[in-house]
Amino acid sequence: MKQIKYSYCLNENNELVHISSVTVDNRHSHTFHCIECGQELIAKIGKIKVPHFAHGVDTACNGESYLHKLAKRRILEKFMSADNFSLNFVRDIPCKNADNCTFYKDYTCVSRGELIKFDLKAVYDTCQEEVRLGEFQPDLLLTNSAKPDREPIFIEVYKTHKSDQRKLDSKYRIIETKRLENEADIDDIVRRGFIESVNCELYNFHPKFPPTTPPIKDMEYEHRYTRFILNKNDTVTVKFVTCEDLNKRFDPEAVRELNIDEYFYQPNQLDSDLCWKGLVYLMKKGLTLRNCFLCKYYKYYKFKEYSICRLKPYLRPKQETAISCPNYLIWNQYLVYPLSELEKEISEVPI
């Protein structure tokens, strides 16, 4: 039969022992027993092989239950002896302005994989093994001795069998370890605590976390928007803004300031496709405006970065040219653009 090599065993006092605490001098002063089968083990401490416990004779013990029993024992002892025991939620946290921001998008305005730590010892003080609760008997049960009515937590150790669906569908909150492959998996839980989706799965937990504050950190790109500034002569200037500046006015003399959900605007070109949206939005809000960007005869060549008047191709019109131009005519195609659609990508800066 294959010799099973373990780092842990039980001593004559039924205490959990790690091979590192055993020396050549003291190993004969104790007796060691297998956590799984109870048979006597030998502490093998040499200079060539890694120290370990092994069965002294051939055995039918195959180690299947060793990790399961070891995990329960180590988690229980860690919980009862430590000042804290972490349960770490890994969640996507939305921006705090998610409910009232025009530009909120659940695929960008979310901080992904945030680690939120919770100390189980702050709520529970007792960990028991194989205690029946109603129709279930979890591997470990967390309770509060001073508050017995507090909802308990099940800890399930997954080595060969996951929790059945009936248990998962119950009202009980469950921490189930990832499938244990070796002793290092248990070491990780004892050292770092439970980490959702890393070394455990969580069921029936519904924690409420405070939303994150913009700008969201560690995003692949910064959230950038265009600030549309309407001047007193009906001309427009623009600049970049980020989430934290969406409600900040930049020009106290401006007639209005808008935020436009536009990611790819280049600051060295005043894009008429961008500006007409802001102008039409303000006209539909009741303002009367004259700007060449709205004129039927205005033509802007984006890639050449210049504009012409179709009636006077030699003329390079400026925005304010429309104020005194006798041929100024608002292009009707702009006016039929519904306000409801513009409101999806434009927000007003408070005055």
Side-chain angles (χ1 to χ4, degrees):
M1 297 289 289
K2 181 181 178 181
Q3 288 287 322
I4 306 298
K5 301 176 181 180
Y6 301 137
S7 297
Y8 289 89
C9 72
L10 300 175
N11 66 12
E12 66 275 8
N13 297 317
N14 201 39
E15 297 169 332
L16 193 62
V17 176
H18 188 266
I19 189 64
S20 61
S21 66
V22 182
T23 67
V24 174
D25 296 330
N26 70 14
R27 62 179 172 177
H28 297 298
S29 303
H30 301 277
T31 56
F32 307 108
H33 300 276
C34 177
I35 294 174
E36 179 176 357
C37 68
Q39 292 183 5
E40 188 171 351
L41 298 180
I42 298 173
K44 297 200 172 183
I45 306 172
K47 295 182 179 180
I48 299 178
K49 294 184 178 181
V50 175
H52 62 275
F53 294 107
H55 291 82
V57 296
D58 288 344
T59 176
C61 180
N62 60 15
E64 279 298 313
S65 298
Y66 168 76
L67 289 177
H68 188 268
K69 293 181 178 180
L70 177 63
K72 289 193 293 181
R73 183 70 177 256
R74 292 195 64 197
I75 292 170
L76 186 152
E77 291 188 358
K78 172 71 174 182
F79 184 89
M80 296 304 296
S81 63
D83 293 330
N84 55 71
F85 198 109
S86 294
L87 171 59
N88 301 279
F89 296 92
V90 180
R91 298 296 169 89
D92 297 339
I93 308 298
C95 170
K96 72 174 184 179
N97 296 326
D99 293 335
N100 52 26
C101 179
T102 302
F103 305 136
Y104 175 78
K105 298 177 179 65
D106 58 11
Y107 56 88
T108 56
C109 302
V110 174
S111 185
R112 304 290 178 186
E114 286 287 330
L115 190 68
I116 299 96
K117 293 186 177 182
F118 174 77
D119 183 13
L120 290 169
K121 290 295 292 284
V123 182
Y124 301 96
D125 62 0
T126 303
C127 182
Q128 298 171 286
E129 182 179 351
E130 303 288 349
V131 174
R132 177 163 291 280
L133 187 65
E135 59 179 318
F136 301 113
Q137 183 172 306
D139 289 326
L140 297 171
L141 179 68
L142 301 185
T143 56
N144 187 306
S145 59
K147 298 179 179 179
D149 293 334
R150 174 166 289 169
E151 182 181 355
I153 291 179
F154 292 3
I155 298 177
E156 300 291 353
V157 176
Y158 170 32
K159 176 58 180 77
T160 55
H161 302 290
K162 295 175 67 70
S163 298
D164 61 47
Q165 195 60 45
R166 187 167 52 91
K167 183 180 290 185
L168 297 181
D169 291 339
S170 72
K171 62 183 179 66
Y172 295 112
R173 291 181 291 183
I174 300 170
I175 304 171
E176 182 176 84
T177 70
K178 292 282 192 175
R179 189 178 190 279
L180 300 180
E181 300 291 345
N182 48 52
E183 293 171 341
D185 292 340
I186 304 173
D187 293 339
D188 181 68
I189 294 173
V190 172
R191 184 179 71 256
R192 297 195 295 169
F194 292 111
I195 304 177
E196 183 179 18
S197 301
V198 176
N199 58 23
C200 73
E201 297 294 346
L202 304 179
Y203 302 95
N204 302 322
F205 283 84
H206 306 288
K208 294 182 179 180
F209 303 118
T212 187
T213 301
I216 294 173
K217 306 299 182 184
D218 301 324
M219 296 298 292
E220 294 182 1
Y221 59 88
E222 184 179 31
H223 293 277
R224 307 182 83 181
Y225 306 96
T226 297
R227 174 58 56 85
F228 172 103
I229 301 173
L230 179 66
N231 304 304
K232 290 182 178 179
N233 62 351
D234 289 358
T235 60
V236 174
T237 55
V238 295
K239 66 179 298 178
F240 276 138
V241 293
T242 57
C243 288
E244 59 187 350
D245 294 325
L246 288 177
N247 292 320
K248 175 183 176 182
R249 285 182 66 87
F250 287 94
D251 185 355
E253 301 297 321
V255 178
R256 294 284 183 86
E257 291 191 31
L258 307 175
N259 299 308
I260 301 180
D261 188 3
E262 173 61 66
Y263 292 126
F264 306 108
Y265 171 73
Q266 300 297 321
N268 62 340
Q269 64 181 43
L270 196 60
D271 192 337
S272 62
D273 289 340
L274 174 69
C275 292
W276 75 256
K277 291 182 181 180
L279 291 167
V280 172
Y281 173 89
L282 291 174
M283 290 181 65
K284 288 183 176 288
K285 288 289 188 175
L287 273 64
T288 300
L289 302 174
R290 291 177 70 94
N291 187 299
C292 280
F293 287 146
L294 295 174
C295 184
K296 177 180 180 179
Y297 304 116
Y298 177 85
K299 174 64 176 178
Y300 176 70
Y301 294 95
K302 180 180 295 187
F303 298 105
K304 296 182 179 180
E305 297 186 20
Y306 71 83
S307 57
I308 65 168
C309 175
R310 288 190 176 93
L311 295 179
K312 302 176 181 179
Y314 59 86
L315 179 65
R316 298 291 184 267
K318 298 180 179 180
Q319 295 183 65
E320 59 269 28
T321 303
I323 295 177
S324 57
C325 179
N327 298 311
Y328 176 74
L329 180 65
I330 296 178
W331 195 19
N332 286 332
Q333 182 174 334
Y334 289 150
L335 297 182
V336 298
Y337 203 84
L339 178 61
S340 59
E341 291 300 312
L342 292 170
E343 288 176 334
K344 293 178 181 179
E345 50 185 313
I346 296 176
S347 69
E348 294 194 46
V349 181
I351 298 176

